[in-house]
Amino acid sequence: MLLDARTPAGLDAALAQAAACLRAGGLIGLPTETVYGLGGDAENPAAVAAIFAAKGRPADHPLIVHVADGEAGVSALARFSSSLPPFALVLARAFWPGPLTLILPRREGVARAAAGGQNSIGLRCPAHPVALALLRMLAQGPQPLWGIAAPSANRFGRVSPTSAAHVRSELGDSLLVLDGGDCQRGIESTIVDCTRGQPVLLRPGPISRTQLRTACGQRVLLPAEAKALALQQAAPRASGTLDSHYAPRARVVLMDTNTLEAALHSSALPPRVALYVRSAHVQALALALPNPVLARMPRSAPAAARGLFATLRRLDDADMDAIWVEAVPDGIAWDGVRDRLQRAAV
Ligand code: TXA
Ligand code: MG
């Protein structure tokens, strides 16, 4: 069931209903600025188990716990994490509320199931006004609920949802979904591991490595670099780092501009191929094909990220055998989009 939370008129009733559902151990579809989440009380093991079951996700893959901002956020940080390295505090101050998840040492005995049994916990304060309003509401009162555990609201291994309608098509109509409109960021949060003494980037996302570095004045290592330095950590699992992820049904093929151009010129173009292209001349070539199924990728990385998953879904729904995608530029700003495309193409 969709609850309209897009206008002030519907908001209060929708929030109250969602809060009551979460307090009773139920699950909701939750809008965030990145993608929609499938949320439950992070400290209720039954709710967490229901999340894993609904997603078809293995129970040892840890979930991100979403916390409020302000005073309530500080209390939540203290509740879920046992320590906060100085660089993690700087990153939280710089980017929360926002699309950044920090992996921190977990306080013993708290949110074990949500953390997939690991001794660390992923925390994020989302920037979506509906998510924030809900988190603030839950943190109030005699029995505060400090965190909403929420993985992306898709079936395991599939494309993340960026609208309430996507959530319904992934998880069915019986789920209560707060409709907060289309997600503005469009790809999942940047994840930084803060448990190894130096920041390590586990998943590229809307906040780039350059932005992280500028904010904390420290190099942000890639996982391979951290490994080479033998930085100690019981290797965290990140399902977003499985090779194949975010995959539509159709086969996604990533091609550099020249290869794609050559393929479009060849007479052997297979039928039922959708095209997702960036450069003007490739778009022109594609438009000259008979009945092209075509999507244009915006020129800027943030705009491309915003429409990425919705476009893959739309092209997939057109019942194509393959989606040919023009590769994105090499720069750091494109790391998040490039990462999702590479995983979709495995
Ligand atoms: O933008 C987002 O991050 C979205 C929205 C809903 O907030 N959530 C999201 O969740 O993408 P999910 O479950 O699809 O991806 C969470 C990622 C996984 O790769 C998971 O393994 C990693 O975060 N993660 C969570 N807790 C972790 C931990 N303690 N150690 C290592 N990785 C962790
Ligand atoms: Mg996911």
Side-chain angles (χ1 to χ4, degrees):
M1 185 182 37
L2 297 192
L3 296 180
D4 192 351
R6 287 168 302 172
T7 58
L11 186 60
D12 285 350
L15 288 177
Q17 199 174 335
C21 174
L22 290 170
R23 285 192 181 282
L27 305 186
I28 62 160
L30 175 75
T32 84
E33 79 280 30
T34 58
V35 301
Y36 273 72
L38 175 63
D41 177 356
E43 296 190 64
N44 179 334
V48 170
I51 294 176
F52 284 112
K55 269 191 72 100
R57 174 160 164 162
D60 60 351
H61 284 242
L63 308 176
I64 292 173
V65 176
H66 298 72
V67 299
D69 56 345
E71 289 280 299
V74 174
S75 302
L77 259 176
R79 173 151 192 96
F80 291 113
S81 65
S82 58
S83 65
L84 194 64
F87 70 81
L89 182 61
V90 172
L91 290 175
R93 284 229 172 94
F95 297 111
W96 282 2
L100 176 68
T101 296
L102 300 176
I103 309 298
L104 295 165
R106 180 169 60 88
R107 204 157 67 79
E108 223 182 297
V110 174
R112 184 185 168 79
Q118 307 204 31
N119 56 12
S120 59
I121 187 137
L123 298 179
R124 167 164 120 80
C125 174
H128 195 290
V130 172
L132 273 181
L134 180 64
L135 285 161
R136 288 179 198 142
M137 181 185 270
L138 289 164
Q140 285 167 6
Q143 283 187 314
L145 190 160
W146 291 117
I148 302 179
S152 51
N154 52 282
R155 306 266 317 154
F156 186 60
R158 308 222 57 100
V159 178
S160 296
T162 55
S163 74
H166 294 164
V167 178
R168 186 164 49 182
S169 82
E170 285 286 326
L171 299 171
D173 201 26
S174 56
L175 179 71
L176 197 89
V177 181
L178 283 174
D179 183 352
D182 292 344
C183 301
Q184 290 304 300
R185 297 293 199 153
I187 56 173
E188 303 84 350
S189 60
T190 302
I191 303 183
V192 176
D193 184 359
C194 304
T195 66
R196 304 196 226 181
Q198 281 185 70
V200 181
L201 183 73
L202 295 187
R203 180 173 72 184
I207 295 173
S208 73
R209 252 179 116 194
T210 316
Q211 288 174 287
L212 294 170
R213 192 201 165 124
T214 305
C216 73
Q218 215 169 320
R219 235 173 83 71
V220 178
L221 302 176
L222 297 173
E225 295 171 327
K227 203 171 166 192
L229 290 173
L231 291 185
Q232 279 309 306
Q233 154 73 3
R237 263 169 217 269
S239 76
T241 63
L242 293 179
D243 278 349
S244 173
H245 209 67
Y246 316 108
R249 276 174 290 270
R251 197 163 58 89
V252 174
V253 185
L254 255 184
M255 293 185 221
D256 64 54
T257 307
N258 290 340
T259 310
L260 181 55
E261 213 175 326
L264 292 180
H265 273 303
S266 93
S267 53
L269 188 69
R272 292 152 59 89
V273 170
L275 299 166
Y276 192 9
V277 297
R278 301 185 68 247
S279 39
H281 63 286
V282 178
Q283 288 182 18
L285 265 179
L287 278 171
L289 297 170
N291 307 316
V293 176
L294 174 67
R296 296 182 170 90
M297 193 183 289
R299 303 299 294 174
S300 84
R306 192 177 307 136
L308 179 68
F309 289 149
T311 303
L312 287 177
R313 261 173 208 276
R314 183 164 60 75
L315 296 178
D316 209 19
D317 288 346
D319 202 22
M320 294 288 123
D321 293 333
I323 303 172
W324 289 3
V325 185
E326 184 177 348
V328 301
D330 287 334
I332 284 178
W334 287 89
D335 282 356
V337 172
R338 192 182 318 104
D339 170 80
R340 302 313 186 272
L341 284 173
Q342 283 168 348
R343 292 178 203 290
V346 169

